[in-house]
Amino acid sequence: MHKLQAASCKLQTVLALKRMLSFRSTYVQRKFSVGSQGLRIFSKVANFHAPPLSCPSTARSLSMVETTCARPLASEAETNATRASQLQQGLVSVAHLEHAMAVAEVAAKRAAHIVLEARPRILATNSVKQKDAGEGPVTEADLAADEVIREHIKDAFPADTIISEESFTGVGNAALSTKGRVWLVDPLDGTKCFINPNSSDFCIMIGLLIDGFPAAGLIVEPTTGRAWKGVNGLEYSRAWHTSSDGSTRQLPSLPDSRTEGVLSFGAGPPVSPKFAELISEFVHAPARAVSKGSAGLKAMLIVDGETEMYTSGCQQISVWDVCAGHAILNAVGGGLCTLALAPINYQRRQLRDGLFFHAPGINDELKMKVRGMYEHLAKRRGQQQQR
């Protein structure tokens, strides 16, 4: 009797697996950068009927097949598997994302007008305040841009959550909800440059998370009118650049590998020559810094192919400083991880492990070398403090 039951279970398992492997499906191949690895996800639109799971061994076998198929093509299996689940949840129709970005564009343009109108008055009167906990300057332009962006998005999408830098009330590294649609807004990224009359390195950043995944992003540079937009949807990932003359073009995907030569990277001004020398020492290649004040604009240097990476060991960088840039860079094949080479945790306000924006050509070996440089710096600082 036991032998007959075992044979029956085996037969059901074989039939179930056969059905699963022969079902009709449509595959949409998407490629995203997750943490320090590339990850391919196949979204399945399937229509099949599995046989009833009348014995435990059949259920176990099907579970093993599904688990194996879902494994990411990366070495950081456990970390990336969790992120893969978030990615699959965040994949929605491109049409929905483009509509969201159209709303964001109107909001950003209104905010840009407010920011530029207020700047001469702010510079003339030096009406700048300092935030608590040493989080930098804030002006009436930051607050006014924050208000107009939040109001415009809320009018269009009343059910969405909006988290904006200037209206956020959480303390320290507060927990954030990433369930559903969550907008992360930095109404004026680069306020230090905004209050510097000799700089134009500031921008407006609006990012859209869907179940924790940066699905879309928009960055606008008020002084030039330049803008970058990216969507990562079910059908495809695309990014666009709008020039100062108003013309818009689709951005090409970045190359998957880098050519030998100078490693270019974005860095905030003033850039010490010693920083490029230090990077060169650790990556064993000549390095060149490109100065840019705003975190968002430094990320866009990679999108435009002008640099290959932007890193920071600052522990006070917030998720609204990176979400829009992350989405846009994803759309052209690049990615963002922490300096620990882990995925970005959008469920916490701050990136306590730093950030690492990178082009797809920055492979794992290079990332480990850069990480080693920051570990070296941290160790040296610790030794200095002990003296």
Side-chain angles (χ1 to χ4, degrees):
M1 184 66 180
H2 290 296
K3 290 183 178 180
L4 286 174
Q5 287 180 341
S8 177
C9 282
K10 287 181 180 179
L11 179 60
Q12 287 190 53
T13 299
V14 170
L15 290 174
L17 294 176
K18 196 171 182 181
R19 285 275 191 93
M20 175 175 283
L21 294 173
S22 64
F23 70 84
R24 293 178 299 162
S25 63
T26 302
Y27 290 86
V28 182
Q29 185 177 351
R30 305 293 302 114
K31 180 181 178 182
F32 295 101
S33 177
V34 180
S36 63
Q37 300 288 344
L39 174 64
R40 291 188 179 275
I41 295 174
F42 294 90
S43 302
K44 301 177 181 178
V45 182
N47 179 21
F48 73 98
H49 300 281
L53 305 181
S54 56
C55 72
S57 65
T58 304
R60 283 195 300 270
S61 297
L62 288 175
S63 177
M64 288 174 65
V65 170
E66 290 171 351
T67 301
T68 302
C69 291
R71 284 177 186 162
L73 302 179
S75 59
E76 298 176 352
E78 292 184 0
T79 301
N80 285 346
T82 301
R83 196 75 185 110
S85 174
Q86 295 175 337
L87 288 170
Q88 288 173 314
Q89 293 171 12
L91 289 175
V92 299
S93 169
V94 166
H96 286 84
L97 297 178
E98 290 186 349
H99 173 57
M101 287 298 96
V103 171
E105 284 183 276
V106 174
K109 287 178 180 178
R110 291 180 180 177
H113 175 75
I114 290 172
V115 163
L116 291 178
E117 190 177 58
R119 193 184 191 199
R121 181 173 65 256
I122 292 171
L123 292 176
T125 60
N126 194 28
S127 51
V128 180
K129 297 180 180 179
Q130 293 295 322
K131 295 181 183 179
D132 296 334
E135 294 187 357
V138 63
T139 70
E140 63 176 85
D142 297 75
L143 302 176
D146 172 89
E147 184 177 359
V148 73
I149 292 171
R150 283 190 295 109
E151 286 182 355
H152 190 74
I153 294 176
K154 183 57 70 176
D155 286 345
F157 308 108
D160 290 5
T161 299
I162 305 172
I163 301 174
S164 183
E165 177 177 7
E166 305 309 337
S167 53
F168 182 73
T169 57
V171 178
N173 194 22
L176 304 176
S177 172
T178 58
K179 185 178 180 181
R181 288 166 53 106
V182 179
W183 296 82
L184 291 176
V185 178
D186 191 339
L188 185 52
D189 181 48
T191 304
K192 289 180 180 179
C193 295
F194 174 75
I195 59 177
N196 178 355
N198 299 316
S199 177
S200 61
D201 288 351
F202 53 91
C203 65
I204 294 163
M205 301 199 294
I206 303 175
L208 175 61
L209 290 177
I210 299 183
D211 291 328
F213 170 61
L218 172 72
I219 293 179
V220 174
E221 189 178 46
T223 55
T224 64
R226 294 193 303 162
W228 297 260
K229 177 177 66 175
V231 297
N232 299 286
L234 183 62
E235 298 86 352
Y236 54 75
S237 287
R238 285 182 187 166
W240 298 265
H241 178 256
T242 299
S243 300
S244 55
D245 62 5
S247 61
T248 299
R249 64 182 176 89
Q250 184 179 328
L251 291 168
S253 296
L254 295 170
D256 288 332
S257 59
R258 67 181 304 269
T259 57
E260 295 296 328
V262 177
L263 175 65
S264 56
F265 63 94
V271 184
S272 169
K274 292 184 179 180
F275 190 38
E277 292 173 5
L278 189 61
I279 289 181
S280 180
E281 177 186 339
F282 274 83
V283 302
H284 309 299
R288 176 179 67 92
V290 177
S291 177
K292 189 65 70 173
S294 154
L297 294 179
K298 284 195 281 284
M300 293 306 97
L301 290 174
I302 306 172
V303 171
D304 289 339
E306 296 182 31
T307 62
E308 297 174 83
M309 68 180 195
Y310 155 46
T311 61
S312 174
C314 178
Q315 296 186 339
Q316 289 189 321
I317 295 171
S318 297
V319 288
W320 48 69
D321 294 317
V322 302
C323 181
H326 189 182
I328 299 167
L329 187 54
N330 260 354
V332 293
L336 169 64
C337 58
T338 69
L339 286 174
L341 307 186
I344 300 301
N345 178 14
Y346 281 103
Q347 294 181 331
R348 286 286 176 181
R349 174 195 168 183
Q350 293 175 327
L351 279 59
R352 291 292 175 88
D353 291 328
L355 63 80
F356 196 150
F357 279 104
H358 57 84
I362 301 295
N363 59 26
D364 291 342
E365 183 182 357
L366 267 175
K367 289 174 187 173
M368 290 299 294
K369 290 176 179 178
V370 174
R371 176 184 177 179
M373 181 194 74
Y374 277 94
E375 290 174 344
H376 166 77
L377 290 173
K379 183 178 180 181
R380 192 168 69 181
R381 280 194 297 268
Q383 291 172 343
Q384 291 173 345
Q385 291 172 355
Q386 291 175 358
R387 291 173 184 172

